[in-house]
Amino acid sequence: MNPHHPEATTATQSPNPARIPQQPSAPEPAPASESTATSAQEPKRASGRDRYFDLLRAIALFRVVFYHLFGWAWLPVVFPSMGVMFALAGNLMATSLGKRPAVQVVRGRMRRLLPPLWLLGAVGVTGMLLGGWGPDSDGHPGWWWIHLGFWILPLSDPPFGDQVPGIHGLVGDEWATELAVPLWYIRAYLWFVLLSPLMLRALRRLPWPTILAPIALSAALEFGLLTVPFSRLDSNLSDFGAFGSCWLAGMAHQQGVLKKLPRYVVPSLAPVVAGIGLWYALTHNFTSGHDLDDMPFAQALWSFATVLLLLHISPSWSEWPGPLRRWDRLVTLLNARAVTIYLWHNVCIVVAGTLWDHLWNVTFLYDDAPWILTSSWPVLVVVWALTAGCVLCFGWMEDVAAKRRPRLWPDGSASRAGAHRA
């Protein structure tokens, strides 16, 4: 798996869990999801919003943040956020392709995806350059300038200054690496968008061979039947194999392919596929430092099976069931700012951990309540507070990208108030 994989950083392995350790290889975020296309509305969605899908996306984002802070290996098993987010994105992509020309749809998706990345790059790359990062950092100045273009069009992973120092007492030295962690998802998402018109055509002609082809690719890569000499191409193929079937399952759900199956097929076969994936992971050193995100083949099987079950259950809520209505504003906000949350939360974790370390200088906490200092749960509150700040500072770019009026906190309350006055 790509070393920048967002679900491969394990946050709290040292005596002080608030510290964010450097990992040799790099979720949920997350996301960047297709949710940037939606505006906040009332619980009854005239636009046809599927609140079940919105809930899944919100859970996926929460799970990504939890994983990056706590590093629990079982979290991707409980809820494979990345596979879920790709499936939801594939579903929305198929919907759009059924309504508008392919070129127009691809251009629109790229327009929604790239500006938030450019804003992250404007802040992050500027900070790296000020920290001494430059063309000579990797020993290949010419290639550095070419690869820098991946911050504009992420067909491959953008470069970053992994040796750039932080700001003492405020931002840890690992900030640049953690900032780059989520970018694999943007790269993979872009390729899925570019390939979606072809994938949809193949899905309509040969549904199940098309859906299962990425898993076959992942198996070929895993067992050495296919070797790729270039690392950048290998990472693209590896992520396509791991999550391509999830994207296609989302498209298949929108196209009605899954509905053509007898109702017992998915509940009968999906647990078997998931079991094979979990068995493969457990027999290949499944630990906190080596989990599903380091095992593309196991990830492909487990995520695909989970996605099939979630899509099979899909109740297609046009409005919230009663017990869930209290979460409407939160879910609306998470969906409206999914890209911002996904891109910035890792840096927020680094900053939160650095700030939390100052509390070790508080004598009574150090002497009488060290359990507070060594717990990551209070840090989680700081992380979400900082992430909320990023939503306020940078989230408006998602509105600009979607050609909407910029909003600071799009949780749907303004539209509900306007509807009430009307």
Side-chain angles (χ1 to χ4, degrees), residues 128-141 144-145 148 160-161 164:
M128 294 179 211
L129 294 175
L130 292 175
W133 184 56
D136 295 326
S137 298
D138 61 0
H140 303 282
W144 184 88
W145 286 104
L148 202 62
F160 60 93
V164 173

Side-chain angles (χ1 to χ4, degrees), residues 32 46 66 80 90 132 146 173 177 186 199 208 239 250 300 384 392:
F66 264 74
I146 295 175
D173 291 341
T177 299
I186 304 299
M199 289 194 290
W208 285 104
D239 290 335
W384 278 110
L392 292 172

Side-chain angles (χ1 to χ4, degrees), residues 145-192:
W145 286 104
I146 295 175
H147 293 162
L148 202 62
F150 292 136
W151 280 98
I152 300 173
L153 187 64
L155 296 174
S156 187
D157 297 310
F160 60 93
D162 57 348
Q163 301 299 320
V164 173
I167 301 175
H168 181 69
L170 180 62
V171 182
D173 291 341
E174 68 275 23
W175 74 270
T177 299
E178 296 303 321
L179 179 139
V181 162
L183 300 184
W184 79 273
Y185 178 85
I186 304 299
R187 180 254 303 158
Y189 182 97
L190 176 61
W191 276 111
F192 281 131

Side-chain angles (χ1 to χ4, degrees), residues 180-381:
V181 162
L183 300 184
W184 79 273
Y185 178 85
I186 304 299
R187 180 254 303 158
Y189 182 97
L190 176 61
W191 276 111
F192 281 131
V193 166
L194 294 173
L195 294 174
S196 280
L198 295 177
M199 289 194 290
L200 183 59
R201 184 178 301 178
L203 181 68
R204 288 169 173 170
R205 298 188 65 176
L206 297 170
W208 285 104
T210 300
I211 294 172
L212 298 176
I215 295 179
L217 171 63
S218 184
L221 291 171
E222 180 73 16
F223 298 110
L225 302 177
L226 176 66
T227 57
V228 182
F230 306 108
S231 60
R232 290 185 177 272
L233 179 59
D234 181 66
S235 61
N236 283 334
L237 290 178
S238 177
D239 290 335
F240 184 86
F243 300 107
S245 290
C246 295
W247 184 282
L248 285 161
M251 300 183 85
H253 179 268
Q254 192 278 333
Q255 292 289 298
V257 174
L258 302 184
K259 292 181 180 179
K260 296 178 182 179
L261 295 173
R263 293 291 294 175
Y264 64 84
V265 170
V266 170
S268 300
L269 295 182
V272 175
V273 175
I276 295 173
L278 186 59
W279 168 82
Y280 190 84
L282 292 173
T283 56
H284 287 76
N285 193 29
F286 179 78
T287 63
S288 293
H290 188 74
D291 55 28
L292 284 181
D293 298 313
D294 300 305
M295 308 174 188
F297 181 59
Q299 176 77 274
L301 294 174
W302 182 264
S303 296
F304 177 63
T306 304
V307 162
L308 281 183
L309 286 172
L310 291 173
L311 293 176
H312 177 78
I313 295 171
S314 180
S316 298
W317 296 329
S318 60
E319 58 181 301
W320 286 114
L324 295 177
R325 288 175 187 169
R326 70 185 67 180
W327 303 104
D328 176 65
R329 291 177 62 180
L330 177 60
V331 173
T332 298
L333 176 66
L334 291 172
N335 276 265
R337 291 292 179 261
V339 179
T340 300
I341 294 170
Y342 184 78
L343 288 178
W344 289 94
H345 80 274
N346 243 31
V347 177
C348 293
I349 290 176
V350 175
V351 175
T354 306
L355 295 176
W356 194 256
D357 284 345
H358 290 295
L359 295 180
W360 285 92
N361 298 320
V362 179
T363 304
F364 80 89
L365 287 177
Y366 182 82
D367 293 336
D368 302 325
W371 59 271
I372 296 179
L373 301 178
T374 58
S375 173
S376 289
W377 289 100
V379 182
L380 181 64
V381 178

